Amino acid sequence: MSVKWSLLLPLLLVSFSPLVSTGSVLVWPADHSHWINLKSIMDELTARGHQVTVLLPSFFQAANTHETFPFHLEVISVPFSKADMDSSLQDFIYFWSYEMHEMSSWKIFTKLYDLMSELLERNKIICDLIVLNEKLLKKLESAHFDILISDPLAPCGELVAVKLHLPFIYSFRFSSGNTMERLCGGIPSPPSYVPASMGGLTDQMAFLQRMGNMLFYLSQDVIFHQVIWKDWNKYYSEVLGRPTTLCETMGKAEMWLIRTYWDFEFPRPFLPNFEFVGGLHCKPAKPLPEEMEKFVQSSGEHGIVVFSLGSMIKNLTDEKSAMVALALSQLPQKVIWRYKGKRPETLGANTRVYDWIPQNDLLGHPKTKAFITHGGTNGVYEAIYHGIPMIGIPMFADQPDNIGHMKAKGMAVELNIHTMTAKDLVDAVNTVIHNATYKENAVRISQIHHDQPVKPLDRAVFWIEFVMRHKGAKHLRVAAHDLTWYQYHSLDVIAFLIVCVALFVFIVVKCCTFCCRKCGSIRKKSKKE
Ligand SMILES: *[C@@H]1O[C@H](CO)[C@@H](O)[C@H](O)[C@H]1NC(C)=O
Ligand SMILES: *[C@@H]1O[C@H](CO)[C@@H](O)[C@H](O)[C@H]1NC(C)=O
């Protein structure tokens, strides 16, 4: 081969390789902790040369900071402010964290329904501002996006995708009773060993627990189909101009990127278009700010405890925060507590309170012994990444479920915010630090997390680019989407077989009785003769 050709060959290979093409990505995000997760994906896509545009309602945190982003924000001006949304959300969280546990199930259901309806009503207003805005739709159309990435916490992402004829991908944690991924995504979830999320069970279930799990699945199916999705089904049908449902539209997702992995999940069946990318936002720890590092080093051999109830729980009651501070003051460790509420008077000399902490860097610090957490998915994954055992104080949403998983895996102790005493908290921290099994399990799970052929973020980005290159991933789509529920469970076949067997038995019985009667009458006749 001539020199000229050998120089040309790599160039040719590069230009034919599908890996180098870049595209444009449209994102329908969710706020707060969900945003952190999506942002990791968007940052990586931008770093690889893709154009990323985010449809951002004006009340989102990202629209209200001075932070600059490496991607384009298409801000949707909505008729309510960040303060309005924050206060609704705080009401919701306050109810879920503090009031719900004292109520009857029916009251909980009606109150949750009211609170959720309010949030969904606003969601619909935002959706209107996009799908009914011809000018915006034209603009989006002319941008020639290749894919839409959606967080289904708030509906509408899939509707925008269908309107713009774009393939779309979900970034998802779970829905109560796995309803969305099960009923809309088609992921098999046998109730005998796949515990429904929010049901509080593990994969080891006794008879009554299996029954409870199955009934929970069924109740969620009814609630979602008959209550939660009703209005949306009508809305989606109106916007698309043909009868459809929210669930059917969700089922068109090319891929579901689930924000967990087998370090966290119980083994379960899944489909080829489900990829488990938990912990994709996790990174090695960076050095701490100087003042904080000094404090951490002053802990000596006892080490430190990191304590955060997340960004949504801004304050505890005075009584509760005093109790917590008192408990923390009794620990030999130094404590770093993220807390925005009033500083309790019982705060010990070993405890420092901050409005914000570099949580990932702290969890990755060699002096960190334990993590007291509300159990949000992001924080739990940072603890898994760095192998730190946890004391879980779940408050709302997926938190009880997350802590349930970590408890079952032996790397967490769970406390109840409503009933715990100072002694419980001290005992829990001591258990997790001094009973070696918790640290051993944390390290083992961390090793499982790190021992993957391709890192979660790279897998997530691979599938996004795959769908962009191939304009979808229809070859991964199971035919279950085309079946009705009774066909899916083969109920029609079972019913047919039962009828066949019944008919057969009926004919046999009829023939026998007929023959017997015949024989009987012949015998009678011969006797007479
Ligand atoms: C937190 O503070 C707000 C405003 O001061 C108050 O309305 C709310 O009840 C407090 N939360 C708790 C748990 O005490
Ligand atoms: C440590 O914790 C494990 C799991 O809870 C428990 O089975 C074991 O008895 C504990 N060991 C000690 C020495 O307390």
Side-chain angles (χ1 to χ4, degrees), residues 62 121 494:
E121 204 45 54
I494 293 171

Side-chain angles (χ1 to χ4, degrees), residues 407 410 412-413 431 434-438 441:
K407 213 170 86 180
V413 166
T431 304
H434 297 298
N435 181 334
T437 58
Y438 291 94
N441 285 328

Side-chain angles (χ1 to χ4, degrees), residues 80 84-85 87-89 91-92 111-125:
F80 28 85
D84 286 345
M85 280 310 275
S87 95
S88 298
L89 199 61
D91 283 353
F92 192 59
K111 176 87 195 216
L112 266 184
Y113 180 68
D114 287 348
L115 288 168
M116 233 162 79
S117 302
E118 189 191 329
L119 287 176
L120 286 179
E121 204 45 54
R122 290 202 176 150
N123 197 214
K124 215 173 269 172
I125 295 174

Side-chain angles (χ1 to χ4, degrees), residues 149-168:
I149 305 174
S150 173
D151 185 321
L153 181 70
C156 199
E158 52 286 316
L159 186 61
V160 175
V162 172
K163 270 287 227 197
L164 297 174
H165 308 287
L166 294 179
F168 66 98

Side-chain angles (χ1 to χ4, degrees), residues 295 325 328-336 347-352:
F295 180 65
L328 298 176
S329 73
Q330 293 167 16
L331 298 172
Q333 287 80 24
K334 295 274 161 93
V335 181
I336 291 187
L347 209 62
N350 68 334
T351 309
R352 282 217 185 149

Side-chain angles (χ1 to χ4, degrees), residues 94 98 315-317:
Y94 186 80
Y98 295 107
N315 54 337
L316 298 166
T317 59

Side-chain angles (χ1 to χ4, degrees), residues 456-527:
L457 182 58
D458 291 331
R459 277 188 290 126
V461 170
F462 168 80
W463 281 110
I464 292 166
E465 290 183 334
F466 182 96
V467 169
M468 286 162 75
R469 281 196 297 273
H470 299 275
K471 309 202 179 334
K474 291 282 178 284
H475 68 300
L476 301 179
R477 185 182 169 79
V478 287
H481 291 287
D482 310 326
L483 301 177
T484 62
W485 61 273
Y486 57 86
Q487 286 172 331
Y488 178 86
H489 293 286
S490 297
L491 296 185
D492 49 350
V493 175
I494 293 171
F496 178 76
L497 292 178
I498 289 176
V499 168
C500 286
V501 171
L503 218 61
F504 178 73
V505 171
F506 178 75
I507 290 169
V508 169
V509 169
K510 273 285 173 211
C511 285
C512 284
T513 46
F514 180 74
C515 292
C516 289
R517 233 182 271 143
K518 261 271 144 74
C519 293
S521 58
I522 289 168
R523 226 177 287 145
K524 259 188 218 157
K525 248 187 210 162
S526 56
K527 249 188 201 163

